[in-house]
Amino acid sequence: LLPMLKPRLDCLPRDDPARPRILGAYRRSFYHGNLVRARAARALRVLHAAGLPTLVVKGGVLGAAHYGDVALRPMNDFDALVPAGRGADALRALMADGWRSAHPFPESLPDAYHSAPLSTDDGLEFDVHWNLLPHASEADADAPAWAAAEPFDIMGVATRRLCATDLLVIVCA
């Protein structure tokens, strides 16, 4: 929560001991958020090169699109959706690019789950989803979200993002 206090820093006296902590938390969040976004941009390029459209969900949208500052929405990972039925393709492409899965058999994940967390050697995470929700795995379950998606840019990579209504539903779920 500390990075979110930065826009209100002027409400504190100049000599308040919390000011340096708030600024430090904000700077760390800004730096880390941009590292995560840079790795996500790389992953999105890989997915696009493999012919997979992407839709950015959760924290990756919130900071830039709704908070107006990526540092105000600290995140540990970045989430993107690929079309249902293309999860295995997405995992193959990302793992060929050096992303790693902690799961011993990542190729089996699309049959059993809605997403897979992947990481880089430096510990940054990218979660690839093939269904938005774990309990909605029908082939067309996410069709309304894809239809309502809006253009979005992640560090120079054109993609799409959930519309505000769908983002609220996913965040609440």
Side-chain angles (χ1 to χ4, degrees):
L1 294 175
L2 285 178
M4 294 182 74
L5 296 175
K6 200 257 185 195
R8 303 275 193 249
L9 207 54
D10 290 337
C11 295
L12 293 176
R14 288 252 180 244
D15 61 345
D16 191 305
R19 287 178 70 94
R21 286 193 190 112
I22 293 168
L23 281 172
Y26 175 86
R27 286 184 190 118
R28 184 200 181 283
S29 180
F30 179 83
Y31 177 77
H32 185 75
N34 280 299
L35 278 177
V36 170
R37 290 168 52 82
R39 292 302 189 288
R42 178 179 122 190
L44 293 172
R45 279 188 202 94
V46 168
L47 293 170
H48 295 168
L52 294 161
T54 58
L55 198 158
V56 177
V57 300
K58 303 189 325 185
V61 176
L62 284 171
H66 298 288
Y67 286 49
D69 182 343
V70 295
L72 298 181
R73 175 51 170 88
M75 59 183 175
N76 292 321
D77 64 2
F78 197 96
D79 298 81
L81 178 72
V82 298
R86 302 289 310 272
D89 297 333
L91 288 171
R92 272 192 296 279
L94 290 166
M95 292 178 74
D97 187 55
W99 290 87
R100 294 197 169 99
S101 173
H103 194 278
F105 303 104
E107 65 278 357
S108 69
L109 288 172
D111 295 329
Y113 203 56
H114 75 289
S115 67
L118 301 174
S119 63
T120 57
D121 289 337
D122 56 7
L124 296 175
E125 294 183 12
F126 182 84
D127 292 353
V128 61
H129 296 248
W130 38 89
N131 295 109
L132 282 172
L133 296 169
H135 57 276
S137 59
E138 302 82 32
D140 62 346
D142 299 328
W146 282 99
E150 303 165 348
F152 197 56
D153 180 275
I154 299 294
M155 299 190 122
V157 178
T159 184
R160 300 189 60 77
R161 70 176 186 187
L162 286 177
C163 71
T165 302
D166 290 336
L167 182 59
L168 177 64
V169 170
I170 296 305
V171 169
C172 290

